[in-house]
Amino acid sequence: MSATLNARIAQVFDEPGCDKNQAKGEKERKKGCTKQLTPGAAAGGCAFDGAKIALQPIVDVAHLVHGPIACEGNSWDNRHSASSGPQTYRTGFTTDINEFDVIYGGEKRLFKAIREVIEKVDPPAVFVYQTCVTAMIGDDIEAVCKRASEKFGKPVIPVDSPGFAGPKNLGNKLGAEALLDHVIGTVEPEHTTPYDINIIGEYNLSGELWQVKPLLDALGVRVLSCISGDGRYNEVAAAHRARANMMVCSKSMINIATRMQQRWGIPYFEGSFYGISDMSTTLREIARLLVERGAEPDLKDRAEALIAAEEARAWTRIRAYRERLAGKKVLLITGGVKSWSVVSALQEAGLEVVGTSVKKSTKEDKEKIKQIMGDEADAHMIDDMTPREMYAMLRDAKADIMLSGGRSQFVALKARMPWMDINQERHHAFAGYEGMVTMVAEIDKALFNPVWQQVRTPAPWETEDALLAAEA
């Protein structure tokens, strides 16, 4: 790896927002907590994939991948991050380098690609992603981006996150570093208010941000920028003028929150939009921070009034579901913030969580699981469950339904047990009070779908009478 990339990774690892990091010495802290990948072991995503996931939801910029076409093909539009306007982010741009470029270098090809994108699409900015091959042949994307920016008069942002640098979570943070180095603080907003906030680590999956924004609008709270779901380049560039930051997924972008606190004195808190009680806690925290930063004190009272009305409405709507779902057992195979925030939501629906994956969770995530689940938390936290173990747990009816990402769905289907998508590929938004109702309704549909009765019925040739007749 280049010296610049090594220095950037060391900076990412030296994270003051991590309690575990604070207990280490300076030398140990810079080694980081993330286990580095071995060649060929990019299961779960590489650093390039993580950076692309983190930044692609900025919807009005062009995302140009400098590398073989397979890199862009693998990462293009791989999440249901919705846009309320521009669709530029859904177009895949790549330099599609070949053997000739590997031998002679791909910098000229990259410069031409940037020019073509600007001429044809005219985005407010171009994000250029480094990949394994172009990093190994020594292409200096930072120099090319700087020259292109001067030539064409548009921001061209280098995202130096080749896949071999590490796993997906490191790539998330390297993408965030690109924003900190080249974007945030470069544009001044047209106007500011005492009610401006940034939401960091929210990707607007299936439109989840839109279920939360009306609640903030009702309080007069303005989302100055969302990093990065349904984001706009100029909004992200002006994010340094917000009064407070909300951190949704600390595993991916905690470095943005801590660096903004250091540079511009913007306080942050980590919250969740999943579940009734967590959504209410988030609204209270936003109101508290904004009042401390100069908003009118009545914001807290208005927040409490809104919470009371929305909670009453949500509980009324899920009451019938709670009676049907009471006592049903859930196996939750996810990670990060969802490992605890979704647990809270499921318990509110009357469900029992028999296991939650913490493979991709931080120490803080695990502590929150312990707070929510109490004495049983340690027994129910799963570091790494193999497909065979998932299958055995479902087959033996230790769980009635599995909530996970799409890669695990076939384990549940093989066990003839209900499954529901809880990760980024899903088609339903589960955030906010409205999202809680949607989640409970979808779980109810999955559990009580009549197809399970059909698939569990023995085939005619498996019944005892059929076997006896065959023997006769």
Side-chain angles (χ1 to χ4, degrees):
M1 286 187 286
S2 67
T4 303
L5 180 57
N6 273 322
R8 189 170 286 114
I9 291 174
Q11 183 177 1
V12 166
F13 282 153
D14 190 12
E15 176 50 60
C18 172
D19 291 340
K20 189 173 182 179
N21 232 12
Q22 292 169 3
K24 296 178 179 179
E26 182 177 354
K27 185 176 180 181
E28 289 75 17
R29 186 168 62 246
K30 291 187 177 181
K31 291 180 180 178
C33 303
T34 305
K35 183 179 180 181
Q36 296 299 294
L37 292 177
T38 56
C46 63
F48 158 71
D49 189 41
K52 190 82 182 299
I53 284 172
L55 301 180
Q56 189 168 6
I58 301 177
V59 297
D60 60 346
V61 308
H63 300 272
L64 173 62
V65 175
H66 183 41
I69 196 168
C71 291
E72 171 60 353
N74 183 58
S75 63
W76 173 79
D77 204 25
N78 61 354
R79 288 187 162 208
H80 290 164
S81 298
S83 170
S84 59
Q87 296 294 314
T88 309
Y89 76 118
R90 298 201 64 214
T91 300
F93 298 99
T94 177
T95 52
D96 185 19
I97 66 166
N98 53 36
E99 293 88 345
F100 185 89
D101 301 307
V102 171
I103 296 170
Y104 294 102
E107 293 181 0
K108 290 184 178 179
R109 192 182 188 93
L110 174 59
F111 186 84
K112 290 178 181 178
I114 295 170
R115 179 176 61 195
E116 184 176 354
V117 168
I118 290 174
E119 289 174 350
K120 291 185 176 181
V121 182
D122 192 29
V126 179
F127 283 26
V128 176
Y129 297 83
Q130 182 78 287
T131 59
C132 292
V133 175
T134 52
M136 286 190 290
I137 65 176
D139 282 359
D140 189 346
I141 66 166
E142 295 200 16
V144 175
C145 289
K146 182 178 180 182
R147 185 162 67 92
S149 184
E150 294 170 351
K151 175 73 173 178
F152 306 121
K154 284 194 181 276
V156 182
I157 312 302
V159 183
D160 193 8
S161 59
F164 59 71
K168 180 175 69 174
N169 290 322
L170 175 60
N172 294 152
K173 294 180 175 64
L174 290 175
E177 288 293 316
L179 296 182
L180 288 164
D181 291 342
H182 303 286
V183 181
I184 298 173
T186 60
V187 171
E188 291 297 326
E190 293 181 0
H191 69 281
T192 59
T193 75
Y195 300 89
D196 292 347
I197 67 167
N198 297 318
I199 300 178
I200 302 170
E202 163 58 42
Y203 302 112
N204 196 34
L205 303 179
S206 299
E208 287 190 333
L209 178 65
W210 303 334
Q211 291 183 320
V212 175
K213 196 170 181 301
L215 301 171
L216 301 176
D217 291 341
L219 296 176
V221 174
R222 182 175 74 147
V223 179
L224 184 62
S225 76
C226 181
I227 305 174
S228 57
D230 197 19
R232 307 294 191 274
Y233 178 80
N234 287 331
E235 293 173 354
V236 176
H240 63 299
R241 295 308 181 195
R243 297 299 180 94
N245 285 333
M246 177 189 172
M247 184 78 249
V248 176
C249 183
S250 62
K251 189 73 173 177
S252 64
M253 287 190 167
I254 184 66
N255 48 332
I256 287 185
T258 55
R259 300 291 194 279
M260 291 184 76
Q261 187 174 46
Q262 293 169 354
R263 295 179 187 178
W264 295 288
I266 304 174
Y268 74 92
F269 75 98
E270 184 175 0
S272 169
F273 294 138
Y274 296 119
I276 294 174
S277 59
D278 284 344
M279 185 67 237
S280 298
T281 299
T282 293
L283 291 176
R284 290 188 180 102
E285 281 296 299
I286 290 173
R288 180 187 66 80
L289 274 181
L290 289 177
V291 168
E292 289 179 0
R293 297 276 289 163
E296 294 295 328
D298 73 329
L299 177 60
K300 291 183 178 181
D301 296 330
R302 290 190 286 112
E304 290 299 333
L306 177 66
I307 289 168
E310 291 293 334
E311 281 192 352
R313 180 168 169 266
W315 284 119
T316 300
R317 295 177 65 192
I318 68 172
R319 185 176 297 119
Y321 293 113
R322 281 174 56 84
E323 295 174 1
R324 286 163 56 87
L325 298 177
K328 295 294 185 181
K329 298 176 181 178
V330 179
L331 176 61
L332 180 63
I333 304 297
T334 180
V337 66
K338 289 197 290 292
S339 63
W340 59 268
S341 60
V342 174
V343 168
S344 176
L346 294 172
Q347 289 180 337
E348 289 174 341
L351 295 155
E352 179 186 349
V353 179
V354 296
T356 179
S357 170
V358 293
K359 182 179 180 181
K360 299 179 181 179
S361 301
T362 63
K363 180 183 178 182
E364 292 76 18
D365 292 330
K366 294 176 183 178
E367 289 299 322
K368 288 176 181 176
I369 293 172
K370 292 179 181 178
Q371 293 173 11
I372 294 168
M373 301 185 72
D375 296 337
E376 299 179 349
D378 288 331
H380 291 161
M381 286 194 294
I382 303 166
D383 283 321
D384 191 10
M385 179 176 274
T386 66
R388 187 181 296 275
E389 291 170 331
M390 292 180 204
Y391 175 76
M393 193 170 189
L394 293 166
R395 182 197 58 201
D396 298 339
K398 294 178 182 177
D400 298 301
I401 185 172
M402 183 167 78
L403 274 57
S404 69
R407 283 181 293 182
S408 305
Q409 65 175 305
F410 301 104
V411 176
L413 297 177
K414 184 177 180 180
R416 301 177 185 181
M417 296 296 286
W419 169 85
M420 192 182 82
D421 196 344
I422 197 67
N423 279 3
Q424 64 267 14
E425 300 92 351
R426 66 180 183 267
H427 294 270
H428 299 280
F430 296 148
Y433 301 106
E434 186 66 29
M436 177 64 182
V437 177
T438 302
M439 180 190 294
V440 173
E442 290 302 312
I443 292 174
D444 183 84
K445 288 179 187 177
L447 271 170
F448 296 101
N449 191 321
V451 72
W452 303 117
Q453 183 179 356
Q454 298 295 323
V455 300
R456 292 169 188 160
T457 301
W461 54 86
E462 293 175 344
T463 63
E464 185 177 355
D465 292 340
L467 292 173
L468 291 173
E471 290 175 1

